[in-house]
Amino acid sequence: MIALEKIDAIAPKGAGKKAMKAELTALHKRLFALQNVLYAEGKHPILIILQGMDTSGKDGTIKHVFSCINPMGCNVKSFKVPTEEERKHDFLWRIYPHLPAKGMIQIFNRSHYEDILAPYIQGTLPEKMIEERYDFINCFEKQLLSSGTIILKFFLHISKKEQSKRIEARKRNPHKKWKYNKADDKAAENWEAYQTVYGKIIERCSPEIPWHIVPADQKWHRNYYVANCIVKKLEELKLKYPS
Amino acid sequence: MIALEKIDAIAPKGAGKKAMKAELTALHKRLFALQNVLYAEGKHPILIILQGMDTSGKDGTIKHVFSCINPMGCNVKSFKVPTEEERKHDFLWRIYPHLPAKGMIQIFNRSHYEDILAPYIQGTLPEKMIEERYDFINCFEKQLLSSGTIILKFFLHISKKEQSKRIEARKRNPHKKWKYNKADDKAAENWEAYQTVYGKIIERCSPEIPWHIVPADQKWHRNYYVANCIVKKLEELKLKYPS
C-alpha cells in the first residue's frame, strides 16, 4: 500500500513560483490550441478525474487550469452525495451518462472513487463489497480505455497542516466562506482513515491507468503540474484537423 | 417585421479593431471574476441563446467570448437536427433538460428557435402551427423569466457577402475544412427566406426578452459586443458572495 505521508505535498526543490506561473500561461495557450484540434478531429474522448481530500483544490484546479478552454468542448461533472434515485442503482449507473464523447474533454470533480471512499470511512458497506469495487472500477476503466477513451487521474496531495490552514481560511475569508461546510471539520477528523484508503486506491487502481500524485500544498505548483500532464498527453495524440 | 437587410452587419463608425480587442481582454477578466461570484452566490440562472445564419460565428463567439470562464460554472448545449426520439415529443421537450441551474451559465448554440426556422424553410409544418410556436416560445421564455432566469438572446447578423466569403474559407482553409458541410451551400441559397423568418422572430419574440442584433461581419466587433452585453447584465445583478 502506498504510504502517502511519505510522499511530499510540496513542490520539488528548484520549482519556482514565478517561473511556474509564467509557464502556466504558456500551457494555457497550448491547451487552448490543442483542444481546438481535438474537437475538430472528434476522435478521442478525454476523461480527467480529480480526487483529493477536502480543500485539496479540486475546484481551484478546474478554475485555474481550464479557464482557458473553449467551453463547447469541455464539460464538468461534480459528483455529490448520491441521490435517493442514484442509490437505487449500481454505483456506476450515475457515472455513465457523463462519459465523454469523442473530441470532448470531460472533467470529473470527484468520481466513482467516492464509492470506495465513502463506504470505507462511514462503514456503510461490508469490507468484501468494498474490496470488489476496486476490481469493478479497474474493469470499468479498462473498458473505457479499450474503447479509445484517454483517462487522466489526479490525486491532489496536500498535507494535514495545509488542510487545517485552508479550513481556517474558509471560515474567515468572506470570498471563501460559501465553501465552508461543517463536513470539512468532520473530514479533517478522519484524516488518517482517508489517507489509508487513498493509498490503497492509488496502489490498486494503477498502473495501467496510473494515478498522478500531485504535490498540491502550493496552488501554483498544482496548477502547473496538472496542466503540464494534460498538454503532454494531448501532444502525444498527434492531433490533426480532418480533411 | 424587422428588415434585417436595412440593419448594418458591420461595426459602427469609430469602433476600432485594436481598441476592441484590448477591451475584450479586459472584459474576459471581469467576466471571470463575475462568474466566480455568480457561482458562489448560486442565485441566478443565466441562459445565453445564440442564433444566426450558417457561418455567422456562433461557435466562434463561444470560443472567443467564453474561453476565459471556469468550465465548472458554464455549460454549452449545441442543438442539432432533432433525433428520432426528440421528434416524438413536443418541440420544447428536448430543451428542458438543458436549462441552467441557479449560479450556472448555460449557452444554447442554436435553440428552440430552430423549431420555427427549420419548418418555415423546409415547409414541413402548416403555417398555423408555425404561428403558434411564436406564442409558445414567448410563453416559455416568460415562465423562465418569472422563475428568475436571466435570458440573453443574440442574433449574429452577417451580410450575404460575408457569408459567401466564409463558406469559401471553410472549403479552402485546412483548419476550417472540418466545419464545411454541403448544407452550408443549401442554407446560402435560402438566404432571403432565412432573413425573412429571422426578422419575424426578432420582432415577435421581443421586447420583453429582447433580441440583441449583433453586427457580426467583423469577428472582433461581434466578440466585444456579446462579451460587453453579458458583463453589463451580470454587473446589474449586484452579485455578492454569500456569508
Side-chain angles (χ1 to χ4, degrees):
Chain A
M1 198 155 63
I2 286 168
L4 284 171
E5 73 277 11
K6 290 185 186 154
I7 297 174
D8 272 346
I10 54 165
K13 267 187 189 167
K17 180 172 177 175
K18 208 177 149 189
M20 280 198 166
K21 281 196 156 186
E23 185 58 26
L24 182 63
T25 305
L27 286 168
H28 277 158
K29 284 185 189 155
R30 279 155 76 193
L31 187 51
F32 177 76
L34 284 161
Q35 186 211 8
N36 204 38
V37 199
L38 177 83
Y39 184 86
E41 192 183 41
K43 205 167 138 188
H44 306 281
I46 312 287
L47 176 60
I48 294 166
I49 297 176
L50 294 176
Q51 286 284 164
M53 305 288 290
D54 272 349
T55 76
S56 62
K58 298 177 287 296
D59 291 7
T61 301
I62 298 172
K63 184 172 163 188
H64 292 289
V65 173
F66 297 97
S67 291
C68 64
I69 234 169
N70 182 348
M72 205 157 91
C74 179
N75 290 316
V76 181
K77 171 65 188 172
S78 299
F79 288 98
K80 314 274 183 191
V81 176
T83 63
E84 203 180 325
E85 177 70 11
E86 287 167 351
R87 282 199 306 272
K88 287 181 189 165
H89 292 268
D90 167 79
F91 77 101
L92 292 172
W93 178 78
R94 68 172 184 156
I95 306 295
Y96 268 89
H98 302 285
L99 293 171
K102 289 175 182 177
M104 294 293 292
I105 296 177
Q106 174 71 49
I107 302 166
F108 279 3
N109 183 3
R110 302 182 188 270
S111 67
H112 41 284
Y113 286 99
E114 293 295 322
D115 298 294
I116 287 177
L117 292 159
Y120 177 89
I121 299 293
Q122 297 158 11
T124 46
L125 269 188
E127 210 182 304
K128 201 183 144 221
M129 286 185 78
I130 299 179
E131 281 302 312
E132 279 179 349
R133 289 193 172 182
Y134 290 95
D135 300 326
F136 290 145
I137 285 178
N138 280 337
C139 185
F140 165 65
E141 291 185 359
K142 263 184 225 169
Q143 174 211 332
L144 298 182
L145 198 65
S146 96
S147 74
T149 303
I150 313 291
I151 306 177
L152 286 158
K153 302 193 286 195
F154 296 100
F155 172 70
L156 306 181
H157 180 41
I158 55 167
S159 62
K160 195 173 178 180
K161 204 175 141 195
E162 179 65 20
Q163 189 189 49
S164 312
K165 235 174 77 186
R166 292 187 186 178
I167 293 176
E168 277 315 300
R170 282 190 180 177
K171 288 181 188 169
R172 285 177 195 177
N173 183 333
H175 285 196
K176 290 181 176 172
K177 228 170 184 167
W178 65 279
K179 299 202 79 179
Y180 174 70
N181 189 310
K182 279 185 183 154
D184 291 350
D185 292 317
K186 188 95 187 161
E189 285 169 26
N190 289 318
W191 177 268
E192 276 76 23
Y194 269 111
Q195 293 284 297
T196 304
V197 61
Y198 263 123
K200 196 166 167 185
I201 283 174
I202 292 167
E203 181 161 297
R204 292 205 36 190
C205 303
S206 292
E208 221 164 330
I209 306 160
W211 276 97
H212 296 271
I213 302 175
V214 185
D217 269 4
Q218 295 124 312
K219 294 169 187 174
W220 49 268
H221 178 262
R222 173 199 75 200
N223 296 339
Y224 164 80
Y225 187 107
V226 173
N228 191 46
C229 274
I230 296 168
V231 164
K232 270 192 178 161
K233 179 55 93 178
L234 293 180
E235 281 175 346
E236 277 172 23
L237 297 177
K238 310 273 175 224
L239 303 164
K240 268 187 211 138
Y241 286 99
S243 53
Chain B
M1 197 155 61
I2 287 169
L4 283 171
E5 74 276 11
K6 289 186 184 152
I7 297 175
D8 272 345
I10 54 164
K13 267 188 189 166
K17 179 173 178 175
K18 208 178 150 189
M20 281 201 165
K21 282 197 156 188
E23 185 58 29
L24 182 62
T25 305
L27 286 168
H28 277 159
K29 285 185 187 155
R30 281 156 76 194
L31 187 51
F32 178 75
L34 284 161
Q35 186 211 9
N36 205 37
V37 200
L38 177 83
Y39 184 85
E41 191 181 44
K43 209 167 136 186
H44 306 281
I46 312 287
L47 177 60
I48 294 166
I49 297 175
L50 295 176
Q51 287 283 165
M53 305 289 288
D54 271 348
T55 77
S56 63
K58 297 178 288 295
D59 292 6
T61 301
I62 298 172
K63 183 171 163 190
H64 293 288
V65 173
F66 297 97
S67 292
C68 63
I69 233 169
N70 182 347
M72 204 158 92
C74 179
N75 290 318
V76 182
K77 172 65 187 171
S78 300
F79 289 99
K80 314 275 182 188
V81 175
T83 64
E84 202 179 328
E85 177 70 11
E86 287 167 352
R87 282 199 306 270
K88 288 181 188 167
H89 292 268
D90 167 78
F91 76 100
L92 291 172
W93 178 78
R94 66 172 186 156
I95 306 295
Y96 268 90
H98 303 285
L99 292 171
K102 289 174 180 179
M104 294 292 292
I105 296 176
Q106 174 71 52
I107 302 165
F108 279 2
N109 184 3
R110 305 184 186 269
S111 66
H112 41 284
Y113 286 99
E114 292 296 321
D115 297 296
I116 288 178
L117 292 160
Y120 177 89
I121 299 292
Q122 296 158 9
T124 46
L125 270 187
E127 211 183 303
K128 202 181 144 221
M129 287 186 78
I130 299 178
E131 281 302 310
E132 278 179 347
R133 289 193 171 183
Y134 290 96
D135 300 326
F136 290 144
I137 285 179
N138 281 337
C139 185
F140 166 66
E141 290 185 0
K142 264 186 221 166
Q143 174 211 333
L144 297 182
L145 198 65
S146 96
S147 75
T149 303
I150 314 289
I151 307 176
L152 287 158
K153 302 193 285 195
F154 297 100
F155 172 70
L156 306 182
H157 180 42
I158 55 168
S159 62
K160 195 173 178 179
K161 202 174 144 197
E162 179 65 19
Q163 188 188 50
S164 311
K165 234 174 79 185
R166 292 187 187 180
I167 294 176
E168 278 313 301
R170 282 190 180 178
K171 288 183 191 170
R172 285 181 195 175
N173 183 333
H175 286 196
K176 290 180 175 171
K177 225 169 185 169
W178 64 281
K179 299 201 79 181
Y180 174 70
N181 189 311
K182 278 184 183 155
D184 292 350
D185 292 316
K186 188 95 188 161
E189 285 169 25
N190 288 318
W191 176 269
E192 276 75 22
Y194 269 111
Q195 293 283 297
T196 303
V197 62
Y198 263 124
K200 196 165 167 185
I201 284 174
I202 292 167
E203 181 160 297
R204 292 207 34 193
C205 304
S206 293
E208 221 164 330
I209 306 161
W211 276 98
H212 296 272
I213 303 175
V214 184
D217 267 5
Q218 294 123 312
K219 294 168 187 176
W220 49 269
H221 178 263
R222 172 199 77 198
N223 295 339
Y224 164 80
Y225 187 108
V226 173
N228 191 46
C229 273
I230 295 168
V231 164
K232 271 194 178 160
K233 179 54 92 178
L234 292 179
E235 281 175 345
E236 277 172 23
L237 297 176
K238 310 274 175 224
L239 303 164
K240 268 186 211 141
Y241 285 100
S243 53

